[in-house]
Amino acid sequence: MAGRPYASGARHWLVSLVVAGVAAAAVTTVARSGGHYHWWAGFVLIPGALIGAAGGPLLARGGGRAFAGYVIACAGALVFATGALLMFGVMGRGWPVMIMVPCLAVAGTYLWRPAHPLARGLHRVVALLALTGVLLGATFQLIEAGLVDFGDTGWWGAFLMLAGVTVLGNAVELTRHRMPYRLQAITLLLGPAVVAFLLGLRFLRGW
């Protein structure tokens, strides 16, 4: 019975290391077969995989350590993504990934949202704004890939407007809760929401 926690922990480490090894091997194999292999990027790719693997056992344990494991895993994912881009030699075209990965990491923290309505609402704002950042990064990637072309329009204004609507929606949601400092929190959200929306509209319309 006493050995079970250690056996479980060892299994989590083994699974994490196997996943990290498979991911690193897959990226290396594809890069070599594609003729764009930069071997030195392995010094970034492999540490990133190992850092990410270090977060796996903590995530599997759950509880308070799970968040620390999540942060470590996300840091490893960012380093790993950097190494993959360098190994393929596409950093010049794949740089939007460096926007999407951190934003996804921030959005994922909503799994550990606070219990208090005010803190939860503010955390939700940050998580949803991070998702907006993911969409922005994806749009940049489509532009870099030549799949879309917005010309000279201020297309990024649409994302400012989306951010404003997101913040405004969360301000409205806070009105459902009876709690201290509710009015102050709503006011704090309304101001930036209106400014972001109007700025986005200005850029989008070219005023």
Side-chain angles (χ1 to χ4, degrees):
M1 295 292 291
R4 285 186 178 180
Y6 298 100
S8 178
R11 184 171 63 252
H12 293 152
W13 272 105
L14 179 61
V15 171
S16 295
L17 290 173
V18 168
V19 171
V22 169
V27 171
T28 303
T29 302
V30 174
R32 295 188 67 172
S33 63
H36 299 287
Y37 177 60
H38 298 82
W39 63 269
W40 48 266
F43 292 103
V44 180
L45 185 79
I46 294 175
L50 293 176
I51 293 171
L58 294 176
L59 267 173
R61 288 184 183 182
R65 296 181 179 180
F67 183 74
Y70 178 79
V71 172
I72 294 172
C74 288
L78 182 58
V79 177
F80 184 86
T82 303
L85 291 173
L86 292 173
M87 184 167 284
F88 283 104
V90 294
M91 182 62 79
R93 291 180 288 119
W95 60 266
V97 174
M98 297 293 98
I99 298 175
M100 291 186 282
V101 174
C103 286
L104 279 172
V106 173
T109 62
Y110 194 63
L111 294 173
W112 290 273
R113 55 189 179 275
H116 193 278
L118 178 57
R120 186 169 62 247
L122 295 177
H123 191 185
R124 183 169 54 247
V125 169
V126 174
L128 291 176
L129 288 177
L131 286 179
T132 303
V134 174
L135 294 176
L136 177 63
T139 304
F140 275 127
Q141 188 62 73
L142 291 174
I143 293 173
E144 288 291 332
L147 297 177
V148 296
D149 184 8
F150 296 107
D152 296 329
T153 61
W155 58 269
W156 57 87
F159 289 95
L160 275 174
M161 294 174 67
L162 178 59
V165 170
T166 298
V167 176
L168 179 62
N170 280 276
V172 173
E173 198 278 336
L174 286 178
T175 61
R176 301 191 304 108
H177 303 282
R178 292 186 175 274
M179 57 187 176
Y181 307 111
R182 180 182 63 173
L183 182 60
Q184 292 90 330
I186 293 172
T187 304
L188 182 65
L189 293 175
L190 282 178
V194 173
V195 171
F197 186 87
L198 293 178
L199 276 177
L201 184 62
R202 179 180 182 275
F203 288 131
L204 192 62
R205 299 293 297 271
W207 292 344

PDB file of all heavy atoms in Angstrom, residues 181-196:
ATOM      1  N   TYR A 181     -18.152  46.101  -3.756  1.00  0.00           N
ATOM      2  CA  TYR A 181     -17.353  46.677  -4.841  1.00  0.00           C
ATOM      3  C   TYR A 181     -17.861  46.278  -6.230  1.00  0.00           C
ATOM      4  O   TYR A 181     -17.128  46.355  -7.209  1.00  0.00           O
ATOM      5  CB  TYR A 181     -15.875  46.276  -4.713  1.00  0.00           C
ATOM      6  CG  TYR A 181     -15.281  46.588  -3.367  1.00  0.00           C
ATOM      7  CD1 TYR A 181     -14.923  45.559  -2.499  1.00  0.00           C
ATOM      8  CD2 TYR A 181     -15.095  47.903  -2.956  1.00  0.00           C
ATOM      9  CE1 TYR A 181     -14.387  45.836  -1.251  1.00  0.00           C
ATOM     10  CE2 TYR A 181     -14.556  48.194  -1.714  1.00  0.00           C
ATOM     11  CZ  TYR A 181     -14.206  47.155  -0.864  1.00  0.00           C
ATOM     12  OH  TYR A 181     -13.678  47.436   0.365  1.00  0.00           O
ATOM     13  N   ARG A 182     -19.116  45.860  -6.308  1.00  0.00           N
ATOM     14  CA  ARG A 182     -19.650  45.473  -7.614  1.00  0.00           C
ATOM     15  C   ARG A 182     -19.697  46.670  -8.563  1.00  0.00           C
ATOM     16  O   ARG A 182     -19.277  46.573  -9.721  1.00  0.00           O
ATOM     17  CB  ARG A 182     -21.055  44.884  -7.453  1.00  0.00           C
ATOM     18  CG  ARG A 182     -21.682  44.466  -8.779  1.00  0.00           C
ATOM     19  CD  ARG A 182     -23.082  43.934  -8.589  1.00  0.00           C
ATOM     20  NE  ARG A 182     -23.980  44.958  -8.058  1.00  0.00           N
ATOM     21  CZ  ARG A 182     -25.299  44.795  -7.928  1.00  0.00           C
ATOM     22  NH1 ARG A 182     -25.855  43.645  -8.268  1.00  0.00           N
ATOM     23  NH2 ARG A 182     -26.050  45.762  -7.439  1.00  0.00           N
ATOM     24  N   LEU A 183     -20.192  47.809  -8.070  1.00  0.00           N
ATOM     25  CA  LEU A 183     -20.310  48.994  -8.917  1.00  0.00           C
ATOM     26  C   LEU A 183     -18.943  49.466  -9.394  1.00  0.00           C
ATOM     27  O   LEU A 183     -18.770  49.831 -10.564  1.00  0.00           O
ATOM     28  CB  LEU A 183     -21.025  50.108  -8.154  1.00  0.00           C
ATOM     29  CG  LEU A 183     -21.262  51.408  -8.931  1.00  0.00           C
ATOM     30  CD1 LEU A 183     -22.121  51.133 -10.164  1.00  0.00           C
ATOM     31  CD2 LEU A 183     -21.929  52.451  -8.033  1.00  0.00           C
ATOM     32  N   GLN A 184     -17.967  49.440  -8.499  1.00  0.00           N
ATOM     33  CA  GLN A 184     -16.621  49.875  -8.879  1.00  0.00           C
ATOM     34  C   GLN A 184     -16.033  48.951  -9.947  1.00  0.00           C
ATOM     35  O   GLN A 184     -15.383  49.413 -10.895  1.00  0.00           O
ATOM     36  CB  GLN A 184     -15.699  49.892  -7.652  1.00  0.00           C
ATOM     37  CG  GLN A 184     -16.053  50.962  -6.632  1.00  0.00           C
ATOM     38  CD  GLN A 184     -17.041  50.463  -5.593  1.00  0.00           C
ATOM     39  OE1 GLN A 184     -17.868  49.600  -5.872  1.00  0.00           O
ATOM     40  NE2 GLN A 184     -16.950  51.016  -4.391  1.00  0.00           N
ATOM     41  N   ALA A 185     -16.266  47.649  -9.792  1.00  0.00           N
ATOM     42  CA  ALA A 185     -15.732  46.698 -10.766  1.00  0.00           C
ATOM     43  C   ALA A 185     -16.383  46.880 -12.130  1.00  0.00           C
ATOM     44  O   ALA A 185     -15.707  46.843 -13.170  1.00  0.00           O
ATOM     45  CB  ALA A 185     -15.951  45.270 -10.269  1.00  0.00           C
ATOM     46  N   ILE A 186     -17.697  47.100 -12.134  1.00  0.00           N
ATOM     47  CA  ILE A 186     -18.401  47.297 -13.403  1.00  0.00           C
ATOM     48  C   ILE A 186     -17.913  48.565 -14.095  1.00  0.00           C
ATOM     49  O   ILE A 186     -17.666  48.587 -15.308  1.00  0.00           O
ATOM     50  CB  ILE A 186     -19.920  47.349 -13.162  1.00  0.00           C
ATOM     51  CG1 ILE A 186     -20.423  45.982 -12.693  1.00  0.00           C
ATOM     52  CG2 ILE A 186     -20.656  47.780 -14.423  1.00  0.00           C
ATOM     53  CD1 ILE A 186     -21.870  45.978 -12.258  1.00  0.00           C
ATOM     54  N   THR A 187     -17.740  49.630 -13.305  1.00  0.00           N
ATOM     55  CA  THR A 187     -17.240  50.889 -13.870  1.00  0.00           C
ATOM     56  C   THR A 187     -15.833  50.717 -14.426  1.00  0.00           C
ATOM     57  O   THR A 187     -15.497  51.247 -15.495  1.00  0.00           O
ATOM     58  CB  THR A 187     -17.240  51.986 -12.795  1.00  0.00           C
ATOM     59  OG1 THR A 187     -18.560  52.113 -12.248  1.00  0.00           O
ATOM     60  CG2 THR A 187     -16.800  53.314 -13.378  1.00  0.00           C
ATOM     61  N   LEU A 188     -15.016  49.957 -13.703  1.00  0.00           N
ATOM     62  CA  LEU A 188     -13.645  49.713 -14.142  1.00  0.00           C
ATOM     63  C   LEU A 188     -13.607  48.974 -15.477  1.00  0.00           C
ATOM     64  O   LEU A 188     -12.711  49.201 -16.300  1.00  0.00           O
ATOM     65  CB  LEU A 188     -12.905  48.899 -13.072  1.00  0.00           C
ATOM     66  CG  LEU A 188     -11.429  48.578 -13.334  1.00  0.00           C
ATOM     67  CD1 LEU A 188     -10.608  49.861 -13.353  1.00  0.00           C
ATOM     68  CD2 LEU A 188     -10.895  47.621 -12.279  1.00  0.00           C
ATOM     69  N   LEU A 189     -14.587  48.117 -15.715  1.00  0.00           N
ATOM     70  CA  LEU A 189     -14.634  47.367 -16.967  1.00  0.00           C
ATOM     71  C   LEU A 189     -15.285  48.162 -18.095  1.00  0.00           C
ATOM     72  O   LEU A 189     -14.881  48.045 -19.258  1.00  0.00           O
ATOM     73  CB  LEU A 189     -15.401  46.053 -16.762  1.00  0.00           C
ATOM     74  CG  LEU A 189     -14.738  45.011 -15.859  1.00  0.00           C
ATOM     75  CD1 LEU A 189     -15.661  43.816 -15.660  1.00  0.00           C
ATOM     76  CD2 LEU A 189     -13.410  44.558 -16.439  1.00  0.00           C
ATOM     77  N   LEU A 190     -16.283  48.963 -17.764  1.00  0.00           N
ATOM     78  CA  LEU A 190     -17.024  49.680 -18.802  1.00  0.00           C
ATOM     79  C   LEU A 190     -16.148  50.684 -19.547  1.00  0.00           C
ATOM     80  O   LEU A 190     -16.227  50.794 -20.776  1.00  0.00           O
ATOM     81  CB  LEU A 190     -18.225  50.398 -18.186  1.00  0.00           C
ATOM     82  CG  LEU A 190     -19.450  49.546 -17.864  1.00  0.00           C
ATOM     83  CD1 LEU A 190     -20.529  50.400 -17.213  1.00  0.00           C
ATOM     84  CD2 LEU A 190     -19.996  48.901 -19.137  1.00  0.00           C
ATOM     85  N   GLY A 191     -15.318  51.415 -18.810  1.00  0.00           N
ATOM     86  CA  GLY A 191     -14.484  52.438 -19.447  1.00  0.00           C
ATOM     87  C   GLY A 191     -13.581  51.874 -20.536  1.00  0.00           C
ATOM     88  O   GLY A 191     -13.667  52.287 -21.706  1.00  0.00           O
ATOM     89  N   PRO A 192     -12.709  50.914 -20.203  1.00  0.00           N
ATOM     90  CA  PRO A 192     -11.847  50.330 -21.243  1.00  0.00           C
ATOM     91  C   PRO A 192     -12.627  49.656 -22.363  1.00  0.00           C
ATOM     92  O   PRO A 192     -12.186  49.661 -23.516  1.00  0.00           O
ATOM     93  CB  PRO A 192     -11.013  49.305 -20.463  1.00  0.00           C
ATOM     94  CG  PRO A 192     -11.029  49.785 -19.055  1.00  0.00           C
ATOM     95  CD  PRO A 192     -12.374  50.415 -18.868  1.00  0.00           C
ATOM     96  N   ALA A 193     -13.791  49.073 -22.033  1.00  0.00           N
ATOM     97  CA  ALA A 193     -14.585  48.401 -23.063  1.00  0.00           C
ATOM     98  C   ALA A 193     -15.051  49.391 -24.125  1.00  0.00           C
ATOM     99  O   ALA A 193     -14.938  49.139 -25.333  1.00  0.00           O
ATOM    100  CB  ALA A 193     -15.784  47.702 -22.427  1.00  0.00           C
ATOM    101  N   VAL A 194     -15.565  50.523 -23.682  1.00  0.00           N
ATOM    102  CA  VAL A 194     -16.054  51.533 -24.627  1.00  0.00           C
ATOM    103  C   VAL A 194     -14.899  52.113 -25.442  1.00  0.00           C
ATOM    104  O   VAL A 194     -14.996  52.276 -26.665  1.00  0.00           O
ATOM    105  CB  VAL A 194     -16.806  52.650 -23.870  1.00  0.00           C
ATOM    106  CG1 VAL A 194     -17.162  53.788 -24.814  1.00  0.00           C
ATOM    107  CG2 VAL A 194     -18.060  52.089 -23.214  1.00  0.00           C
ATOM    108  N   VAL A 195     -13.786  52.410 -24.769  1.00  0.00           N
ATOM    109  CA  VAL A 195     -12.629  52.977 -25.470  1.00  0.00           C
ATOM    110  C   VAL A 195     -12.098  51.994 -26.514  1.00  0.00           C
ATOM    111  O   VAL A 195     -11.807  52.375 -27.661  1.00  0.00           O
ATOM    112  CB  VAL A 195     -11.520  53.344 -24.462  1.00  0.00           C
ATOM    113  CG1 VAL A 195     -10.233  53.721 -25.193  1.00  0.00           C
ATOM    114  CG2 VAL A 195     -11.968  54.496 -23.579  1.00  0.00           C
ATOM    115  N   ALA A 196     -11.969  50.717 -26.137  1.00  0.00           N
ATOM    116  CA  ALA A 196     -11.461  49.715 -27.072  1.00  0.00           C
ATOM    117  C   ALA A 196     -12.391  49.555 -28.269  1.00  0.00           C
ATOM    118  O   ALA A 196     -11.939  49.456 -29.420  1.00  0.00           O
ATOM    119  CB  ALA A 196     -11.287  48.372 -26.359  1.00  0.00           C
TER     120      ALA A 196
END
